[in-house]
Amino acid sequence: AVASTATTQSGTSLPLHRRQSAAREGAARGGETRRPSHVRAHSDGNSELRTSLRTSLREELSQISQESSSSRTDWFEICITSGTSTQPLDVQMLDSIRLVKDRIEAKFAIPRVVQSLMFSRDILNERLAVLDDETTLSQLSIGPGAVLHLKTPSTRSAAVG
């Protein structure tokens, strides 16, 4: 077997296993180990690649974080009342009334086709207006804590909850 040797800074020749051992000892003592130039050049290339990947990952994570935090703040709670009970429902400002009805159907098992949602900003001074399926909550200025009244044609009032 031929042992791989190299010349040290002092000019003496060391086998490969001794060079590796010396490098480990130097690193353990906190000393700098000398690498061949081709290893340093390769490491610098990897270093640039790692830096580039870190930067793009940070940007991507930042974007995801902003999207998820903005999507969390878009959700709010409204109340659905049927006259006999009132239940909360999580919605988003850009939800259409059709989507709100779908959420009611999913949560309370009342088919969307029989639902009629009504709303009034000032319940004491205004009549309840039946809401059009294509209108969004933001167009109607419906925000957190708003109360939507749910009616069904068959019973004129549906129990929620």
Side-chain angles (χ1 to χ4, degrees):
V2 176
S4 176
T5 61
T7 306
T8 63
Q9 289 177 350
S10 63
T12 59
S13 183
L14 291 175
L16 178 62
H17 72 280
R18 295 245 175 149
R19 280 185 288 140
Q20 291 170 340
S21 176
R24 282 193 298 270
E25 288 173 11
R29 285 192 307 264
E32 185 178 335
T33 59
R34 190 173 187 113
R35 296 182 194 153
S37 62
H38 71 279
V39 173
R40 271 196 302 277
H42 184 66
S43 294
D44 290 342
N46 284 340
S47 177
E48 291 173 13
L49 179 62
R50 282 192 301 268
T51 301
S52 173
L53 286 173
R54 280 188 196 118
T55 302
S56 62
L57 281 172
R58 280 188 191 118
E59 290 170 358
E60 191 174 335
L61 287 172
S62 174
Q63 183 179 2
I64 290 169
S65 175
Q66 289 172 355
E67 288 173 1
S68 66
S69 67
S70 70
S71 67
R72 279 193 302 262
T73 58
D74 288 346
W75 288 91
F76 61 92
E77 189 175 273
I78 61 173
C79 294
I80 305 297
T81 184
S82 64
T84 58
S85 69
T86 301
Q87 296 293 323
L89 184 69
D90 290 328
V91 294
Q92 291 181 300
M93 190 59 94
L94 297 178
D95 285 352
S96 66
I97 297 302
R98 179 184 310 271
L99 185 56
V100 172
K101 287 180 177 182
D102 288 339
R103 291 175 199 238
I104 292 170
E105 181 175 7
K107 187 170 182 178
F108 306 115
I110 300 170
R112 178 172 53 86
V113 294
V114 299
Q115 297 176 29
S116 177
L117 286 176
M118 298 188 281
F119 174 71
S120 173
R121 283 186 243 334
D122 183 3
I123 194 96
L124 298 176
N125 297 322
E126 291 182 34
R127 292 188 54 189
L128 290 171
V130 176
L131 304 178
D132 177 50
D133 281 357
E134 303 310 314
T135 310
T136 65
L137 297 177
S138 65
Q139 290 171 326
L140 296 165
S141 301
I142 294 175
V147 178
L148 299 184
H149 298 266
L150 176 64
K151 303 287 182 195
T152 57
S154 60
T155 61
R156 299 307 309 156
S157 179
V160 228

